[in-house]
Amino acid sequence: MPFSTEGDELSFEQDIKPLFRTKDRAAMLTRFDLFDHADVAEHADAIIGSLLSGRMPCDGAWPEADLEKLQRWIDIGKPA
């Protein structure tokens, strides 16, 4: 799924939360909840850093379009 184009709004519930799988959430739940807007917004820089470095997820890299979508969401202020 391509990331939203300029002018389109992104939201956590519609665009970002679906990027995280249930098993990703379970793996990170002791630190933060990937299905919770406040937790993801608070840890967004660490999350994108881990994704870009390949430390997360442990079973394969995200598609470039998903990385761009997450980065754009961060850049526009992490809207709910």
Side-chain angles (χ1 to χ4, degrees), residues 6 18-19 27 30-31 35 39 45 51 55 60 62-63 67 74 77:
E6 198 169 325
L19 299 176
T30 59
R31 295 186 176 174
F35 288 4
D39 274 0
D45 291 335
L51 289 165
R55 291 188 313 259
W62 274 20
L67 291 169
I74 293 168

Side-chain angles (χ1 to χ4, degrees), residues 16-51:
I16 304 307
K17 182 179 172 182
L19 299 176
F20 301 111
R21 304 167 299 184
T22 301
K23 70 180 188 175
D24 300 329
R25 180 186 188 216
M28 297 306 298
L29 210 46
T30 59
R31 295 186 176 174
F32 51 84
D33 186 351
L34 288 171
F35 288 4
D36 179 77
H37 171 262
D39 274 0
V40 175
E42 180 179 344
H43 299 281
D45 291 335
I47 292 168
I48 193 78
S50 292
L51 289 165

